[in-house]
Amino acid sequence: MRPFTIHEGLVAPLDRANVDTDAIIPKQFLKSIKRSGFGPNAFDEWRYLDRGEPGMDNSKRPLNPDFVLNQPRYQGASILLTRDNFGCGSSREHAPWALEDYGFRALIAPSFADIFYNNCFKNGLLPIRLPPAEVDELFAQTYATPGYRLKIDLGAQTVTRPDGKAYSFEVDPFRKECLMNGWDDIGLTLRHAEAIRAFEEKRRAEQPWLFA
Amino acid sequence: MPQTLYDKLWESHVVRTEADGTALLYIDRHLIHEVTSPQAFEGLKLAGRKPWRASSIVATADHNTPTDHWERGIEDPISREQVETLDANIREVGALAYFPFKDARQGIVHVVGPENGATLPGMTVVCGDSHTSTHGAFACLAHGIGTSEVEHVLATQCLLQKKMKAMLVKVEGEVGLGVTAKDIILAIIGKIGTAGGTGYAIEFAGSAIRALSMEGRMTVCNMAIEAGARVGFVAVDDKTIEYLKDKPFAPKGELWDKAVAYWRTLVSDPGAHFDAVVELDAAAIKPQVTWGTSPEMVTDIEGAVPAPDDFSDPVKRESVARALQYMDLKPGTRIQDIAVDQVFIGSCTNSRIEDLRAAAAVAKGRKKAANVRRVLVVPGSGLVKRQAEAEGLDEIFKAAGFEWREPGCSMCLAMNADRLEPGERCASTSNRNFEGRQGPGGRTHLVSPAMAAAAAVTGHFTDVRNLL
């Protein structure tokens, strides 16, 4: 996993609440057995005017000019600013895969759905929760300022605006450490293989029906 | 100190805890389907790792499988490759049970697990599917997980998880005739919102929940995720134990007695502390119908479509305006005046035998309305299908002009060929009314099986209480 320490990038505003994972990556693309290549189909139904199917040449498809991410000023954005409950619905990890493959490194919203939030950390994507009033300020600034950029420092847990004003955010220390180092969770967990084995044997003795 | 059921389930699975409270939770049951597992198996292989305990795995193919013309196999080559990849992965690593495409016990993973007794009280259950919360009906700690976590569980038999807050949702009283588990959970979501349960584990309790069958409780827990909660559960009682007796993977003989004694402890202690408590009056719940593109956008059959201005929060107002545009609905329209083009009876929420009986009771002696293009009835599993056929429900559906299909996820998420055409409106017993969920441009209204059947035979949303 790509480590995340400090990132500075262009902000794109997606001014909707309850953006669900079906919207982030529609079901027809879930048929892939690969982990990569979902970026061109991120927000497919909003982003293109035609109906997307796996295997299409996405560069030849008609773009929806009304969709915010298609506006020239937001091309190359790496920070997505959005609203409450982003990533709700299906547990599909294809959603963070698609956002990451699109070019996003961080997401800012007042809240995220639990499973999605968790999935982001497994893929080098940092979801940042800020209070609604601060998210409102960032939306206003993004709309008002072409080329609006933010600097995110995971170590310091801050989001800094171009004018120097910084917002603090919370993140679990364990998740933070894993993300900053790009650690593989499985490798970390397997360091406790003996503890897992001991737990399992005790459980097998106490509740043998679970091990039928 | 008195403990909640969540405390008990949590504590009995903690292998170790990090300084910040992140715990390694031991996983008893790993349910696997074809869509969210191929990358996990590939990752495992690339890292040269082996599954920790393959006998914890129960797998089936459900999301991509067609629901008709099984003799033709899976015609979509990409879907076929995904299902064949699952076949190959399970062949290689093994499993407690695998119900492949066309197997007599194949079906939706959340239907198959419980009906085979592969979901037992006190278990931690995971699956790369958000509706894993379904298994909480058996007092399980059942988490929907992402594919990285599927790989993590395969490799370590554990899940990294932080303890959530505890919410008690108490539904007291008796529901009226024609009001079902689906109406209860939609009413709960309408009250707390789709993010109301975010960060919480929800225990569903109260006399109305106790009065539900195990299948009804599965319907309620299934949609905990639509209330934002990754897990939802119900305490063990006689119904739980009665349901599990003699199921293929349930313990037998002496072990059964020992298990039952333990299962009886899986209840919240009197006086246990919850971080949040929500109460609903069951008698006040009427048949529910969603009108928007989020499950919280719900009202009852006597209600009308709201206006954006009915909401004070500007973000919500904007969401409602966008939803009404997508759904092509005008504020003030009575729910009963909304006509439907298709009806879907199925999904991990509502495809069990009791759901099909409820739909058949309404369909019996009636016909699909002329304006309804298609009514799909998709049983949750091969076992449900055979049971329904033994009871003659298939004949009732066919006589009413409904299509009787093979089991699978079908038009709940439209990964197979079953889908809405752009602009079509559907009364659906599934769990999500998101934009495009049942097909690009499709418009979904969530209802109970009885309400879906009522819409099918009248052509528009109808108060099923008038048809019973």
Side-chain angles (χ1 to χ4, degrees):
Chain A
M1 181 174 77
R2 180 159 56 149
F4 189 111
T5 50
I6 293 174
H7 175 77
E8 203 216 328
L10 183 70
V11 181
L14 183 62
D15 201 348
R16 298 185 185 205
N18 299 316
V19 173
D20 58 74
T21 52
D22 275 79
I24 298 171
I25 184 80
K27 82 279 278 163
Q28 60 270 36
F29 304 107
L30 271 51
K31 295 177 185 177
S32 167
I33 57 170
K34 301 268 171 269
R35 210 178 181 116
S36 56
F38 295 99
N41 301 109
F43 303 109
D44 199 275
E45 284 180 24
W46 293 341
R47 190 166 154 197
Y48 300 99
L49 292 171
D50 64 347
R51 193 198 144 123
E53 285 295 341
M56 287 170 92
D57 181 352
N58 294 294
S59 66
K60 300 211 168 82
R61 296 174 58 199
L63 291 171
N64 174 7
D66 295 332
F67 183 54
V68 66
L69 293 185
N70 288 336
Q71 292 177 23
R73 63 182 285 196
Y74 300 123
Q75 297 315 299
S78 60
I79 298 170
L80 187 69
L81 179 64
T82 184
R83 297 289 186 183
D84 263 313
N85 203 25
F86 187 82
C88 61
S90 153
S91 65
R92 59 187 71 166
E93 197 162 318
H94 312 68
W97 293 341
L99 294 170
E100 199 266 348
D101 195 51
Y102 180 94
F104 290 116
R105 303 265 9 241
L107 314 166
I108 300 174
S111 65
F112 296 89
D114 285 345
I115 303 178
F116 174 82
Y117 183 80
N118 198 51
N119 284 341
C120 286
F121 284 93
K122 317 285 182 190
N123 293 284
L125 192 60
L126 176 62
I128 297 171
R129 289 188 282 235
L130 290 181
E134 295 178 3
V135 171
D136 281 343
E137 286 176 11
L138 289 176
F139 266 103
Q141 293 220 327
T142 304
Y143 287 135
T145 323
Y148 189 73
R149 298 172 77 83
L150 288 169
K151 184 179 166 193
I152 295 164
D153 184 334
L154 177 55
Q157 295 178 218
T158 52
V159 175
T160 307
R161 306 195 319 203
D163 62 7
K165 182 171 177 181
Y167 305 109
S168 298
F169 62 90
E170 294 294 320
V171 59
D172 287 340
F174 181 75
R175 282 188 164 127
K176 175 178 169 179
E177 196 184 8
C178 290
L179 188 51
M180 287 192 69
N181 291 289
W183 281 338
D184 160 23
D185 279 353
I186 297 176
L188 285 181
T189 298
L190 285 176
R191 292 192 313 195
H192 307 298
E194 267 179 50
I196 301 170
R197 218 165 277 129
F199 182 94
E200 190 168 59
E201 284 319 307
K202 188 164 161 279
R203 196 159 177 76
R204 194 190 295 272
E206 287 171 1
Q207 298 187 36
W209 60 86
L210 295 175
F211 294 81
Chain B
M1 210 169 91
Q3 288 189 304
T4 62
L5 172 54
Y6 180 51
D7 293 331
K8 294 180 187 181
L9 292 170
W10 174 267
E11 278 176 19
S12 61
H13 290 88
V14 173
V15 174
R16 69 184 303 280
T17 310
E18 299 287 336
D20 75 345
T22 304
L24 213 47
L25 275 193
Y26 186 80
I27 300 304
D28 298 308
R29 175 68 66 233
H30 192 177
L31 302 169
I32 287 179
H33 65 80
E34 78 276 18
V35 178
T36 54
S37 66
Q39 298 88 348
F41 281 110
E42 189 192 23
L44 198 71
K45 204 177 294 178
L46 287 174
R49 292 172 175 138
K50 294 261 174 271
W52 183 281
R53 186 163 71 86
S55 65
S56 69
I57 297 173
V58 171
T60 191
D62 55 6
H63 283 61
N64 275 283
T65 54
T67 59
D68 60 355
H69 297 295
W70 271 13
E71 73 286 358
R72 295 182 196 161
I74 303 174
E75 294 185 290
D76 176 348
I78 321 176
S79 289
R80 190 169 62 239
E81 185 187 14
Q82 200 166 54
V83 172
E84 286 172 352
T85 301
L86 179 65
D87 288 341
N89 284 328
I90 298 296
R91 230 181 359 253
E92 189 176 333
V93 310
L96 173 70
Y98 181 42
F99 306 116
F101 176 49
K102 293 192 192 178
D103 186 277
R105 289 197 278 170
Q106 178 261 349
I108 306 173
V109 68
H110 307 309
V111 175
V112 164
E115 73 182 2
N116 284 287
T119 300
L120 297 173
M123 276 184 165
T124 39
V125 178
V126 296
C127 178
D129 191 288
S130 60
H131 290 109
T132 307
S133 56
T134 309
H135 306 266
F138 295 85
C140 290
L141 194 55
H143 297 82
I145 59 177
T147 298
S148 293
E149 290 176 316
V150 171
E151 186 180 337
H152 191 275
V153 174
L154 281 171
T156 71
Q157 209 58 38
C158 290
L159 183 67
L160 281 162
Q161 179 74 18
K162 249 192 142 172
K163 196 170 178 189
M164 294 173 270
K165 289 179 286 183
M167 180 186 284
L168 178 66
V169 174
K170 229 169 141 176
V171 191
E172 295 287 1
E174 250 182 77
V175 293
L177 180 73
V179 177
T180 67
K182 182 64 162 290
D183 302 300
I184 294 176
I185 187 63
L186 284 172
I188 292 169
I189 295 164
K191 185 175 171 104
I192 70 173
T194 45
T198 303
Y200 287 95
I202 299 182
E203 176 170 351
F204 296 100
S207 55
I209 301 293
R210 298 254 73 85
L212 291 174
S213 67
M214 289 311 294
E215 296 196 358
R217 294 175 192 181
M218 283 189 251
T219 299
V220 169
C221 291
N222 172 275
M223 290 186 71
I225 187 69
E226 272 64 54
R230 197 175 183 184
V231 301
F233 40 78
V234 175
V236 168
D237 63 7
D238 291 342
K239 285 183 187 170
T240 322
I241 289 161
E242 190 51 40
Y243 179 97
L244 288 168
K245 197 154 177 50
D246 302 322
K247 290 280 189 287
F249 292 108
K252 309 282 183 312
E254 223 174 284
L255 272 187
W256 168 261
D257 297 335
K258 202 176 162 203
V260 168
Y262 171 64
W263 295 344
R264 294 258 181 219
T265 69
L266 297 173
V267 299
S268 286
D269 299 329
H273 172 76
F274 289 88
D275 301 289
V277 177
V278 174
E279 297 188 48
L280 276 87
D281 173 13
I285 300 173
K286 296 169 189 165
Q288 305 282 301
V289 183
T290 66
W291 48 264
T293 53
S294 164
E296 71 184 15
M297 295 175 173
V298 63
T299 186
D300 62 59
I301 187 64
E302 296 169 6
V305 175
D309 287 343
D310 297 345
F311 300 85
S312 53
D313 171 28
V315 174
K316 191 149 225 177
R317 210 155 47 221
E318 176 60 29
S319 300
V320 169
R322 198 190 301 276
L324 294 188
Q325 189 186 14
Y326 182 85
M327 295 296 290
D328 191 28
L329 290 172
K330 300 238 169 344
T333 304
R334 289 181 347 131
I335 296 295
Q336 304 198 28
D337 293 337
I338 300 172
V340 301
D341 305 300
Q342 285 211 50
V343 175
F344 173 62
I345 298 170
S347 87
C348 57
T349 313
N350 280 131
S351 63
R352 298 177 182 84
I353 191 68
E354 292 173 16
D355 299 318
L356 301 186
R357 286 178 192 145
V362 174
K364 192 169 186 175
R366 297 189 171 100
K367 293 266 180 228
K368 172 177 82 66
N371 64 302
V372 178
R373 184 169 78 80
R374 182 167 77 168
V375 181
L376 284 184
V377 186
V378 184
S381 72
L383 293 184
V384 172
K385 182 169 191 250
R386 263 182 305 288
Q387 176 68 28
E389 288 173 352
E391 296 179 18
L393 305 185
D394 58 324
E395 292 304 327
I396 295 174
F397 292 132
K398 286 187 240 172
F402 298 5
E403 295 183 27
W404 178 241
R405 293 292 188 93
E406 303 291 347
C409 298
S410 181
M411 206 164 74
C412 170
L413 86 166
M415 262 190 93
N416 69 359
D418 309 335
R419 60 177 69 133
L420 298 179
E421 293 303 318
E424 275 193 322
R425 190 179 299 283
C426 181
S428 178
T429 68
S430 56
N431 40 56
R432 289 187 177 135
N433 51 356
F434 299 155
E435 287 183 23
R437 171 79 178 182
Q438 295 192 290
R443 299 175 176 131
T444 302
H445 296 264
L446 304 175
V447 289
S448 74
M451 284 288 287
V457 298
T458 60
H460 55 87
F461 293 105
T462 296
D463 193 334
V464 70
R465 295 173 296 184
N466 299 332
L467 300 184
L468 294 174

